[in-house]
């Protein structure tokens, strides 16, 4: 190569390094007066259609000042020196497996600087979007034999049960085996299992788990009151007993209260009697304070099995899961919560939030609500309680 070739090569490398500095993740854009979808798309160097798609816009003709748009990330990533696939996956908030699959990589560790990786648009968190059955490990079983028996990938099985591939299983050990997807359960139990509504009507429901508490539940109620938005609160019985005034306020301000167990255990691992206790104690505590007998339940962590669902059905409960997960308890960041919710929200969505989280701050949940509510209202969504969304009774008395 001549000196000139080297110079050219240097310039190309410099450009690659510059390009690799561009946005790696989706961004939040808050519309300013005078902006249009076209001008915003041009400023970010993306297509109008991409913004419409990632922001899941119903109203595509105009944008409103303060409306939140989700700008898709660059769809390619230029590998930099020192990068590893797992680091890239973590930085871009996507599953390593998905990154490997998308790029047809056979050796998951071998990447080189300047290599172009195709980056899939964000991963939907769907590990829990399943029911589980319990399997008792038999002598001679291995993760592989069980994986084969139930037709579930070893990795999935290991992930769900928090065991490493190498771990020896012990006879008698209990494993959670994925059973039905939420959609399958919905078909099997159309009157008793819900995670969204299939509809063209622009109704959506905000739901808040794990309260009441003495900090965030009241702040969330303040925001909902200011914006005149009704919601559904899945309360824990043990906290209902501690914060009766918050429960009373919730009902008085037009929200629905529902059952989220007494102490937040994994109900699928309890005996029928223990499950009964968790549910009934909560039901009684809520009824004593509000006079209302709850008919809606969300099992802790959304963990459900067909067996548990049958029991809840026999107790006259309807199970309410969700279709949009804010992951607010983990991310605790306004922009990230907007990115987690807006792209997935559509007609009939049930959106999951929390008002209590093991002592951690949920201030971001409080802070994101005005923007999220305003933005979804610009798309002509109407906020309703889940019973209204699904046309089922909220209470049994
Ligand atoms: Zn919960």
């Amino acid at each position: 190569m001549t000196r000139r070739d080297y110079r050219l090569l240097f310039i190309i490398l410099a450009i690659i390094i510059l390009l690799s500095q561009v946005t790696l993740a989706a961004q939040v854009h808050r519309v300013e007066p005078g902006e249009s979808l076209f001008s915003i798309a041009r400023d970010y160097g993306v297509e109008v259609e991409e913004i419409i798609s990632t922001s899941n816009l119903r109203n595509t003709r105009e944008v409103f000042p303060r409306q939140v748009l989700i700008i898709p990330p660059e769809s390619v990533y230029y590998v930099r020196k020192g990068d590893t696939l797992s680091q890239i996956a973590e930085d871009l908030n996507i599953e390593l497996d998905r990154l490997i699959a998308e790029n047809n990589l056979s050796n998951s560790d071998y990447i080189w600087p300047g290599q172009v990786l195709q980056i899939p648009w964000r991963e939907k968190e769907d590990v829990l979007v399943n029911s589980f059955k319990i399997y008792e490990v038999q002598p001679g079983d291995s993760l592989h034999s069980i994986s084969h028996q139930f037709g579930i990938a070893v990795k999935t099985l290991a992930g769900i049960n928090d065991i490493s591939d190498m771990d020896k299983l012990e006879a008698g050990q209990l494993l959670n085996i994925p059973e039905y997807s939420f959609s399958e359960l919905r078909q099997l139990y159309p009157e008793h299992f819900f995670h969204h509504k299939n509809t063209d009507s622009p109704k959506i429901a905000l739901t808040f788990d794990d309260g009441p508490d003495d900090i965030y539940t009241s702040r969330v109620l303040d925001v909902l009151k200011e914006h005149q938005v009704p919601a559904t609160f899945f309360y824990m019985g043990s906290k209902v007993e501690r914060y009766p005034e918050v429960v009373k306020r919730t009902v008085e301000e037009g929200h629905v209260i529902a059952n989220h167990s007494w102490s937040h255990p994994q109900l699928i691992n309890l005996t029928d009697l223990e499950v009964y206790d968790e549910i009934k104690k909560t039901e009684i505590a809520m009824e004593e304070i509000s006079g209302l007998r709850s008919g809606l339940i969300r099992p802790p962590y959304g963990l459900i099995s067909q067996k548990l669902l049958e029991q809840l059905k026999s107790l006259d409960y309807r199970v309410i899961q969700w279709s949009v997960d804010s992951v607010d308890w983990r991310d605790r960041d306004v922009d990230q919560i907007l990115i987690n919710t807006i792209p997935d929200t559509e007609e009939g969505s049930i959106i999951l939030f929390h008002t209590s989280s093991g002592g951690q701050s949920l201030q971001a949940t409080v802070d994101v609500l005005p923007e999220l509510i305003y933005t979804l209202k610009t798309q002509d969504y109407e906020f309703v309680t889940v019973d209204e969304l699904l046309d089922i009774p909220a209470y049994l008395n």
Side-chain angles (χ1 to χ4, degrees), residues 209-210 260 264 300-301 354:
D209 287 9
D210 298 354
H260 196 47
H264 214 272
Y301 315 100
H354 297 80

Side-chain angles (χ1 to χ4, degrees), residues 28 30 54-57 66-70 204-208 223-224 227 229 324-328 333-346 349-354 364-383:
V28 165
R30 295 170 171 86
T54 46
S55 306
N56 223 345
L57 295 184
R66 295 188 294 117
Q67 176 187 351
V68 171
L69 295 172
I70 306 299
I204 53 177
L206 296 179
T207 64
F208 296 89
V223 174
L224 297 179
H227 295 266
V229 164
V324 179
D325 190 350
S326 70
V327 210
D328 57 341
D333 174 81
V334 168
D335 281 10
Q336 191 57 50
I337 294 172
L338 291 167
I339 291 168
N340 295 345
T341 49
I342 289 175
D344 291 342
T345 301
E346 59 188 3
S349 285
I350 298 175
I351 309 175
L352 169 64
F353 278 100
H354 297 80
T365 303
V366 178
D367 294 341
V368 79
L369 284 173
E371 266 194 308
L372 182 67
I373 290 168
Y374 171 77
T375 294
L376 294 175
K377 281 183 175 174
T378 67
Q379 302 307 303
D380 304 323
Y381 283 113
E382 182 194 346
F383 293 90

Side-chain angles (χ1 to χ4, degrees), residues 246-257 290 292 395:
V246 182
V247 178
K248 277 186 200 152
R249 181 183 168 194
T250 310
V251 175
E252 277 164 16
E253 297 186 353
H255 307 293
V256 162
I257 55 170
S290 67
L292 298 167
Y395 305 111

